[in-house]
Amino acid sequence: GQNIDQPTEMTATEGAIVQINCTYQTSGFNGLFWYQQHAGEAPTFLSYNVLDGLEEKGRFSSFLSRSKGYSYLLLKELQMKDSASYLCAARDSNYQLIWGAGTKLIIKP
Amino acid sequence: ETGVTQTPRHLVMGMTNKKSLKCEQHLGHNAMYWYKQSAKKPLELMFVYNFKEQTENNSVPSRFSPECPNSSHLFLHLHTLQPEDSALYLCASSQDGGGNQETQYFGPGTRLLVL
């Protein structure tokens, strides 16, 4: 079956760095997405990786290793507003998105 | 960001009621999606419409009935729901429902409570 695993919850300190891991098992692979979702709001697109390596976008970076079925989202210089859920989703060979349950990130002062 | 709007934002209904959720996208996209989001569970894809044609129905119970009159509007008609249907219902749109870099853009969701 197809599956996405990511930690349920993480806690980090304001100003620090946090890495949210995601492992995936899909029938074929056509890219991996990260979304941010604040409580009660829409998921918003953060990043997309289809090739191995690191994609940097400001304070956020996303890494992909296709051979390992693994991705991570790296958040630097954490701010209180980064408290949210982070959703990992992999696209399979039919271009269907397979979603993880999300990682709730709690930022403490 | 008002690219995808959903109404109502909150809905409480009894099991015998009939209600409809509305989604509108202002992004010029051709594909629209309904998802169900329950606490601590992955997003569940319910329906996909591409150029107004339904291309995906993930074994959704018939008490959920989608309607897509045009590429900008999507409805989800609800009738005789069960308490376990209480969840956040998210609408999303994308350029054309396929392609390698298709990104889905989400609305804020309708928080549904079935009593």
Side-chain angles (χ1 to χ4, degrees):
Chain A
Q2 306 197 96
N3 191 52
I4 302 279
D5 283 317
Q6 53 180 128
T8 303
E9 187 174 298
M10 299 181 70
T11 303
T13 305
E14 189 178 15
I17 298 172
V18 71
Q19 177 175 311
I20 303 174
N21 296 325
C22 170
T23 57
Y24 63 89
Q25 293 176 311
T26 54
S27 301
F29 177 75
N30 280 302
L32 188 130
F33 293 80
W34 283 96
Y35 281 78
Q36 179 190 61
Q37 186 178 24
H38 286 99
E41 297 184 14
T44 55
F45 170 74
L46 287 178
S47 68
Y48 170 78
N49 296 69
V50 68
L51 299 176
D52 288 350
L54 188 68
E55 295 276 345
E56 297 186 73
K57 197 183 288 186
R59 293 188 300 114
F60 292 7
S61 302
S62 57
F63 172 83
L64 176 67
S65 169
R66 288 173 298 172
S67 62
K68 295 181 180 179
Y70 167 70
S71 173
Y72 68 72
L73 182 69
L74 190 71
L75 292 74
K76 301 177 184 176
E77 301 169 18
L78 286 170
Q79 302 175 9
M80 297 303 293
K81 67 178 182 179
D82 297 330
S83 292
S85 287
Y86 291 85
L87 311 180
C88 173
R91 196 195 300 280
D92 69 11
S93 57
N94 294 320
Y95 292 95
Q96 289 268 20
L97 279 177
I98 311 302
W99 293 86
T103 298
K104 182 178 180 180
L105 178 63
I106 300 168
I107 309 297
K108 295 186 175 181
Chain B
E1 178 63 57
T2 58
V4 182
T5 57
Q6 290 186 243
T7 55
R9 293 294 309 276
H10 302 274
L11 179 62
V12 180
M13 58 188 290
M15 288 189 283
T16 58
N17 291 158
K18 288 185 180 181
K19 296 286 184 184
S20 294
L21 310 185
K22 179 183 176 182
C23 175
E24 184 174 359
Q25 59 93 3
H26 310 273
L27 300 170
H29 290 166
N30 295 303
M32 296 187 78
Y33 310 77
W34 277 118
Y35 284 93
K36 176 183 179 182
Q37 186 176 37
S38 302
K40 300 184 179 180
K41 290 186 178 179
L43 288 178
E44 298 174 45
L45 180 64
M46 300 174 72
F47 301 104
V48 181
Y49 279 81
N50 209 1
F51 291 92
K52 301 188 297 179
E53 298 296 322
Q54 187 179 123
T55 57
E56 193 76 34
N57 177 339
N58 273 354
S59 303
V60 181
S62 60
R63 56 185 184 269
F64 294 92
S65 174
E67 179 189 359
C68 187
N70 55 61
S71 293
S72 299
H73 294 86
L74 186 64
F75 295 89
L76 188 62
H77 304 298
L78 316 172
H79 63 99
T80 60
L81 293 192
Q82 303 298 311
E84 60 264 29
D85 296 323
S86 299
L88 181 67
Y89 288 84
L90 290 164
C91 173
S93 71
S94 67
Q95 185 60 48
D96 61 14
N100 210 21
Q101 293 200 30
E102 273 290 289
T103 298
Q104 293 181 19
Y105 295 87
F106 286 84
T110 295
R111 175 69 62 184
L112 174 67
L113 177 62
V114 181
L115 300 175

